[in-house]
Amino acid sequence: MVAIGLMNPSTKKKKLKTGERKDFPPIKLDLATGDKPKRKRGSARVYEELREDILWIRIDPGSVLDEVALAARFDMSRTPIREALVMLASEDLVSFLPNRTSIVAPHMLDNMSEYLDSHLLLARAVARHAAIRRTDENLERIRAAAQAYEEALPSNDVYQIYGTDLALHREISQACHSYFTRKFHDLSIDCGRRAYVLHYYPAFGKKEAEVSLAEHEKLVTAIEERDMEGADAAIAQHVRTELEVIKNSLDPKVGYEMDIGAPAKGGGKRR
C-alpha cells in the first residue's frame, strides 16, 4: 500500500523577480551509476538549464526573460544568453515579442489532442521495440528506475515523483535500441511535461499512485518476458489512465453546483 497524500497543498506562491526561478528539484543522477550529469558551458549550459526551468514550471508560462538578469545569473555576456533563447524559441518554449522582449511561451491546450495521439503512437512503438530488443543491462536499469519511482511516492514531492517517472520511461526508451524512435519519443515526453505538471500531478493522490504502480509493473514485466503485445497493451492503458486524470482535473469544481437564479424578493435589507 502506498502512503501518499494529495499533490496540491495550498501554499502561497512566492513572487519572483525577473530572471529568478522557483526552488529546484534534486539534481538528477544516473540510476545505474549514481553519477551526476556533466555540466555544459556557454549557450549550451544556458539552454539546458532554462529548458528544464521552463518544462518544470520553475519559471511560469508568460514570464518575461530579462537578458540582463539572465546574464548576471549565469555570469556571462548576453550573447550566449541570446543564442540559448533562440534555441528555446525553435522548440516553441520561448516567444519573442515585437518589441524584442522574450517571454516563456504560454501553456496552451489547443493542440493537446494532437499531442496525445502522437505521444501514444511513439510510446507504443517504444514499448514494442523494448520488449524484443532489450538487453539484460537494459532490464536491470528499468527495474532500478521502477524501484526508484516506488520509493519516491511517499515523499509527496512532485519533482521527485515525476522525475523518477520520467527516468523510468527514458530507460524503456533506451531499451528499444532505435535512435529515431527513442529521439522522438523522448521529445514527446518533454513536450507534454508542462501539461503534466499543471494538470496531472495536482490531481495525483493515493489512488492514482497505486494505479500507476500497478501499470508500471505490468509494463516492466511484459518487457522482461519479451511480450511485445503485452507491453503495447500496458503502455496504451497507462497513457489512457493519465489522460483520464488530466481530463478530470479540468472539470469545473464549483460551476455546476452554484445556484445562479435570481434572489428572492425582499431578501436584502436597505440601509
Side-chain angles (χ1 to χ4, degrees):
M1 188 67 69
V2 180
I4 182 169
L6 294 177
M7 303 305 297
N8 55 343
S10 55
T11 55
K12 292 183 179 179
K13 285 187 175 181
K14 177 185 175 184
K15 188 172 182 180
L16 301 176
K17 297 178 182 178
T18 303
E20 286 188 339
R21 54 183 174 176
K22 302 173 186 176
D23 290 339
F24 271 59
I27 294 174
K28 294 181 181 178
L29 300 179
D30 185 304
L31 291 172
T33 65
D35 294 335
K36 294 180 181 179
K38 292 182 179 179
R39 190 179 184 87
K40 295 186 178 181
R41 296 182 179 180
S43 60
R45 174 193 163 200
V46 178
Y47 161 77
E48 281 201 353
E49 290 196 22
L50 280 182
R51 187 174 189 271
E52 288 297 298
D53 287 349
I54 292 169
L55 293 177
W56 280 111
I57 319 292
R58 297 177 193 138
I59 304 177
D60 291 327
S63 297
V64 173
L65 295 167
D66 187 319
E67 292 181 22
V68 175
L70 289 171
R73 168 184 158 183
F74 288 99
D75 192 21
M76 57 182 66
S77 71
R78 292 177 62 179
T79 299
I81 301 297
R82 188 72 178 178
E83 291 172 352
L85 293 176
V86 169
M87 288 190 283
L88 291 166
S90 71
E91 296 183 19
D92 296 323
L93 294 176
V94 165
S95 298
F96 292 108
L97 303 182
N99 63 358
R100 297 178 60 84
T101 300
S102 54
I103 64 170
V104 175
H107 173 66
M108 307 294 288
L109 293 174
D110 58 333
N111 61 352
M112 191 66 174
S113 178
E114 180 183 337
Y115 160 73
L116 287 167
D117 247 342
S118 300
H119 175 62
L120 178 56
L121 288 170
L122 289 164
R124 291 179 60 195
V126 161
R128 294 178 75 91
H129 277 98
I132 58 177
R133 293 181 174 179
R134 62 87 179 160
T135 64
D136 290 342
E137 180 184 355
N138 288 142
L139 183 60
E140 183 179 349
R141 294 176 67 95
I142 289 169
R143 281 291 183 192
Q147 181 64 32
Y149 175 77
E150 183 174 0
E151 291 174 355
L153 287 174
S155 71
N156 289 345
D157 183 336
V158 172
Y159 289 137
Q160 187 72 13
I161 294 170
Y162 192 22
T164 53
D165 182 59
L166 289 171
L168 170 59
H169 288 285
R170 286 201 171 100
E171 289 297 346
I172 293 172
S173 182
Q174 288 282 350
C176 82
H177 294 285
S178 171
Y179 171 78
F180 291 104
T181 306
R182 174 175 57 81
K183 178 181 176 66
F184 291 114
H185 170 263
D186 290 358
L187 177 60
S188 78
I189 289 177
D190 282 344
C191 286
R193 211 192 301 182
R194 291 202 294 176
Y196 275 67
V197 172
L198 290 170
H199 304 297
Y200 178 72
Y201 280 97
F204 187 87
K206 181 178 179 180
K207 176 184 175 182
E208 288 74 23
E210 291 175 349
V211 170
S212 183
L213 268 182
E215 291 177 347
H216 279 173
E217 182 57 31
K218 283 184 180 179
L219 176 59
V220 173
T221 298
I223 292 172
E224 181 176 8
E225 296 175 352
R226 301 190 186 279
D227 178 2
M228 184 171 61
E229 299 297 334
D232 189 347
I235 192 62
Q237 180 57 52
H238 188 51
V239 174
R240 189 177 297 113
T241 298
E242 292 178 336
L243 175 57
E244 285 300 315
V245 175
I246 291 173
K247 287 167 60 179
N248 291 339
S249 77
L250 297 173
D251 279 345
K253 303 298 187 293
V254 178
Y256 289 132
E257 306 298 328
M258 183 182 295
D259 181 2
I260 58 174
K265 292 183 177 180
K269 294 183 179 180
R270 293 183 179 180
R271 293 186 177 181

